[in-house]
């Protein structure tokens, strides 16, 4: 997490909210937590994966743990799941790193990794060199990718200089590799794209797409169109997905920790916390905890059978009960601001160890703090007063899906800037935060445009409910948001 400055003119309620845990975040660092891997597999492979993680962290510090971990597994797939003499692959090694394989999620995270590589090159002109990430066990890929990276760097350089001949010469090498599918020679190495493993081919394709971007003004439209078509026709991810599905079918799923006990302890903790404050049923408490931690429950650290045991079947009435519960907690907190119930306390420790969990905590604290402070403000009676209110500005950033900064203090009282990328917040936490925001907006005077703000938040709220449905049902089901909206 990154650092930010604190507003020295906050209300005196700041101290009470801080004491309750709303704006106090401790132990956050810029380091990504890494799981300790078992020593039951070859230590060299463990070291290889950890080294690859660290190297990806170096070239893409903005990437989440999930993206880094999955990108490492994907790039090393031909080592981790190497074919034997009969062409068979085994899940023995990969099962030491993951409790289960969510193939679609892994492909999605790998795609995000590739998108970051391409975006950085287009935005800054810097080529993030995946060749430097790969281990010696993939030396052939390292050499070939390094040469393609050099081609791309030359294209970027020449395009910035306006050197058409230079761009065309380098682009033709990309064109030969991808469109003509022929061999080229560089630095004493002759190679074709088919010489790469499928994960590295996907990386090379990203480089080729970026080369086309920089060569737009220098080469013929016909060549650019053919390159674009060829890169779009690549089946690299399809082959990777097929291999992952074979591995997934072999794996005997086992959660990395005793998640049932983990969640039972959290249910008990929340029950004691709410006792005498908010009257809730045991099942409703469980559902609220589960939904807020659904990203962790549905992730690769928890076996499917344990997920099913925790969340059970999907039921619209469960969701409605949880929404009413959030409303009840909001009401209690607004009326008891010296003894509030921090919503972030509903997150389990294992989720909080991940980048997403840390982001989720800050997002919950950010929205809870700013909505309480917004509703404490007496001078919000017109649209101008509302739009100029600093707390509303923060809430507005959230429901319009913008990145934001939350001000906290560490254990030594030092101010910390937590810069949050909105897309990194889990949908289970968005589900809660959007209900908190709607509750806050309903308390405000009905100034102009406030109905539009509510409408945007309601739409986002429906998307988060959709996520809960899709995750538990493992299928897509259209959500009618109106049936869930509390209008009071």
């Amino acid at each position: 997490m990154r650092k930010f400055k604190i507003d020295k003119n906050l209300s005196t309620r700041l101290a009470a909210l801080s004491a309750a845990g709303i704006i106090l975040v401790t132990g956050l660092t810029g380091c990504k937590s890494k799981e300790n891997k078992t020593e039951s597999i070859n230590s060299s492979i463990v070291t290889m994966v950890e080294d690859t993680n660290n190297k990806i962290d170096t070239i893409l510090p903005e990437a989440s743990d999930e993206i880094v971990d999955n990108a490492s597994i994907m790039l090393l797939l031909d080592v981790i799941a190497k074919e034997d003499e009969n062409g068979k692959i085994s899940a023995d090694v990969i099962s030491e790193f993951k409790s289960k394989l969510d193939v679609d999620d892994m492909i999605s995270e790998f795609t995000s990794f590739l998108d970051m590589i391409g975006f950085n090159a287009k935005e800054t002109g810097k080529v993030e060199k995946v060749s430097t990430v790969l281990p010696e066990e993939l030396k052939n890929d390292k050499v070939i990718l390094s040469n393609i990276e050099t081609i791309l760097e030359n294209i970027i350089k020449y395009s910035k200089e306006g050197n058409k001949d230079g761009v065309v010469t380098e682009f033709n090498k990309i064109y030969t590799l991808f469109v003509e599918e022929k061999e080229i020679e560089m630095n004493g190495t002759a190679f074709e794209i088919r010489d790469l493993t499928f994960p590295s081919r996907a990386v090379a394709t990203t480089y080729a797409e970026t080369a086309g971007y920089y060569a737009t003004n220098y080469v013929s439209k016909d060549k650019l169109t053919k390159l674009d078509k060829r890169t779009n026709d690549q089946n690299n991810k399809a082959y990777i997905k097929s291999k992952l599905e074979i591995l997934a079918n072999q794996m005997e799923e086992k959660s990395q920790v005793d998640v049932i006990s983990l969640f039972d302890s959290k249910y008990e903790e929340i029950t004691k916390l709410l006792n005498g404050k908010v009257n809730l049923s045991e099942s409703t408490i469980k559902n609220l905890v589960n939904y807020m931690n659904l990203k962790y429950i549905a992730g690769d650290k928890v076996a499917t059978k344990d997920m099913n045991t925790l969340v059970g079947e999907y039921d619209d009435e469960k969701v409605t009960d949880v929404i009413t519960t959030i409303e009840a907690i909001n009401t209690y907190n607004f009326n008891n601001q010296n003894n509030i119930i921090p919503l972030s306390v509903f997150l389990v420790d294992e989720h909080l160890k991940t980048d997403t969990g840390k982001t989720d905590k800050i997002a919950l604290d950010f929205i809870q703090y700013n909505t309480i402070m917004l509703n404490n403000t007496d001078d919000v009676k017109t649209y101008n007063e509302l739009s100029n209110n600093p707390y509303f500005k923060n809430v507005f950033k959230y429901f319009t899906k913008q990145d934001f900064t939350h001000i906290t203090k560490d254990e030594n009282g030092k101010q910390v800037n937590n810069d949050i990328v909105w897309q990194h917040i889990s949908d289970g936490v968005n589900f809660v935060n959007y209900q908190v925001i709607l509750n806050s907006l309903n308390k405000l005077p009905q100034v102009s445009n406030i109905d539009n703000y509510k409408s945007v938040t309601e739409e986002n709220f429906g998307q988060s409910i959709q996520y809960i449905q899709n995750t538990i049902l493992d299928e897509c089901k259209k959500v009618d948001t109106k049936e869930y909206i509390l209008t009071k």
Side-chain angles (χ1 to χ4, degrees):
M1 294 295 137
R2 299 171 176 86
K3 306 200 168 182
F4 61 95
K5 57 189 175 189
I6 191 163
D7 180 356
K8 296 180 180 178
N9 299 314
L10 293 181
S11 158
T12 53
R13 295 194 185 275
L14 185 66
L17 293 174
S18 177
I22 289 298
I23 63 166
L24 180 63
V25 178
T26 61
L28 294 180
T29 69
C31 300
K32 300 177 185 294
S33 61
K34 302 299 178 187
E35 300 293 328
N36 290 326
K37 308 301 182 183
T38 179
E39 294 182 0
S40 63
I41 59 175
N42 190 300
S43 61
S44 66
I45 295 181
V46 175
T47 301
M48 183 194 308
V49 173
E50 291 176 346
D51 285 349
T52 304
N53 279 1
N54 292 334
K55 289 174 181 176
I56 293 176
D57 272 339
T58 299
I59 67 169
L60 291 176
E62 69 273 26
S64 67
D65 273 352
E66 291 82 0
I67 290 176
V68 171
D69 291 341
N70 281 312
S72 293
I73 294 295
M74 300 290 253
L75 290 173
L76 302 176
L77 195 57
D78 279 42
V79 178
I80 293 173
K82 191 174 183 179
E83 291 186 1
D84 63 17
E85 60 275 11
N86 298 314
K88 303 288 186 180
I89 57 174
S90 169
D92 289 348
V93 175
I94 201 169
S95 63
E96 298 288 356
F97 295 94
K98 289 181 173 289
S99 295
K100 67 181 179 186
L101 294 186
D102 185 332
V103 177
D104 289 333
D105 185 64
M106 291 182 71
I107 294 291
S108 175
E109 299 285 12
F110 188 53
T111 299
S112 295
F113 166 75
L114 297 175
D115 288 344
M116 288 181 181
I117 297 293
F119 176 82
N120 285 358
K122 293 173 184 176
E123 193 75 6
T124 69
K126 179 184 177 183
V127 178
E128 308 295 358
K129 298 183 178 181
V130 178
S131 64
T132 64
V133 166
L134 299 179
E136 285 303 310
E137 285 80 356
L138 291 169
K139 185 175 181 179
N140 189 60
D141 283 12
K142 283 175 69 72
V143 172
I144 295 174
L145 283 182
S146 178
N147 281 313
I148 296 175
E149 289 159 357
T150 298
I151 296 172
L152 177 56
E153 285 182 321
N154 288 338
I155 291 174
I156 295 173
K157 174 188 173 185
Y158 291 139
S159 69
K160 289 182 176 180
E161 295 173 351
N163 183 342
K164 179 178 180 179
D165 290 341
V167 172
V168 171
T169 297
E170 296 298 313
F171 178 84
N172 284 340
K173 297 175 185 177
I174 295 289
Y175 190 85
T176 299
L177 285 169
F178 283 88
V179 179
E180 297 177 351
E181 296 184 320
K182 293 180 180 178
E183 179 181 275
I184 69 170
E185 184 175 344
M186 284 184 64
N187 300 317
T189 301
F191 61 90
E192 300 176 66
I193 290 303
R194 71 184 67 188
D195 294 330
L196 291 167
T197 62
F198 286 113
S200 289
R201 288 189 209 181
V203 175
T205 298
T206 298
Y207 291 146
E209 291 169 347
T210 309
Y213 170 84
Y214 276 100
T216 299
N217 297 324
Y218 300 95
V219 300
S220 70
K221 185 176 179 180
D222 178 63
K223 280 194 169 184
L224 289 170
T225 300
K226 287 180 178 178
L227 176 65
D228 184 60
K229 183 177 185 303
R230 192 67 192 94
T231 54
N232 287 334
D233 286 345
Q234 293 289 310
N235 292 318
N236 308 312
K237 292 175 187 174
Y239 286 111
I240 296 169
K241 183 175 182 180
S242 176
K243 190 168 188 175
L244 288 172
E245 287 173 342
I246 293 172
L247 295 171
N249 289 332
Q250 291 182 18
M251 290 181 68
E252 182 178 349
E253 293 186 12
K254 183 179 180 182
S255 297
Q256 290 187 354
V257 299
D258 184 353
V259 291
I260 305 302
S261 295
L262 174 71
F263 276 81
D264 282 344
S265 296
K266 179 57 71 173
Y267 302 149
E268 183 178 352
E269 175 192 340
I270 297 301
T271 299
K272 290 179 180 177
L273 176 65
L274 298 180
N275 186 37
K277 299 176 182 178
V278 182
N279 186 24
L280 299 174
S281 69
E282 180 181 344
S283 61
T284 300
I285 290 173
K286 287 182 177 181
N287 289 329
L288 177 54
V289 171
N290 290 343
Y291 294 166
M292 290 180 72
N293 292 278
L294 196 54
K295 177 73 173 179
Y296 170 75
I297 294 174
D300 59 24
K301 293 178 174 62
V302 177
T304 303
K305 63 181 180 61
D306 287 337
M307 173 184 168
N308 292 338
T309 298
L310 289 172
V311 301
E313 296 182 357
Y314 178 82
D315 189 330
D316 287 331
E317 290 186 8
K318 288 182 180 180
V319 176
T320 301
D321 287 344
V322 171
I323 293 170
T324 305
T325 295
I326 300 167
E327 172 84 1
I329 294 173
N330 287 341
T331 300
Y332 171 85
N333 283 338
F334 187 72
N335 294 327
N336 297 271
Q337 292 183 31
N338 291 322
N339 188 31
I340 68 168
I341 302 165
L343 289 170
S344 56
V345 78
F346 286 72
L347 301 176
V348 299
D349 290 343
E350 290 300 313
H351 183 45
L352 286 169
K353 291 178 182 178
T354 67
D355 272 4
T356 300
K358 293 171 186 174
T359 296
D360 281 352
K361 178 184 180 352
I362 295 171
L364 287 163
D365 292 347
F366 177 77
I367 288 302
Q368 192 167 9
Y369 170 71
N370 280 287
T371 52
I372 288 176
M373 297 302 288
L374 173 61
N375 291 132
N376 281 337
T377 307
D378 295 327
D379 60 350
V380 178
K381 298 182 176 63
T382 68
Y383 171 74
N384 285 337
E385 289 172 344
L386 178 64
S387 60
N388 289 321
N389 182 280
Y391 307 113
F392 177 76
K393 287 180 179 179
N394 284 335
V395 173
F396 179 84
K397 283 184 178 180
Y398 195 97
F399 70 70
T400 53
K401 301 182 179 180
Q402 300 179 49
D403 300 343
F404 60 87
T405 299
H406 185 42
I407 302 168
T408 64
K409 290 184 179 181
D410 62 19
E411 64 272 18
N412 298 316
K414 183 179 179 181
Q415 59 194 37
V416 181
N417 282 358
N418 296 288
D419 295 334
I420 298 300
V421 176
W422 185 89
Q423 285 82 358
H424 292 173
I425 304 166
S426 76
D427 285 301
V429 163
N430 278 332
F431 166 71
V432 173
N433 277 341
Y434 286 133
Q435 177 55 42
V436 173
I437 292 171
L438 285 171
N439 178 240
S440 178
L441 294 178
N442 284 331
K443 285 186 172 71
L444 295 173
Q446 298 304 295
V447 301
S448 62
N449 274 348
I450 198 164
D451 285 341
N452 291 335
Y453 299 146
K454 290 180 183 178
S455 178
V456 172
T457 306
E458 287 171 2
E459 182 178 350
N460 296 339
F461 186 50
Q463 292 170 1
S464 62
I465 295 174
Q466 183 97 54
Y467 163 79
I468 293 171
Q469 282 190 348
N470 293 350
T471 301
I472 296 175
L473 290 172
D474 196 25
E475 64 182 60
C476 292
K477 179 181 176 182
K478 184 66 177 175
V479 169
D480 181 3
T481 309
K482 293 180 180 179
E483 66 181 284
Y484 298 102
I485 300 300
L486 300 178
T487 57
K488 63 179 182 177

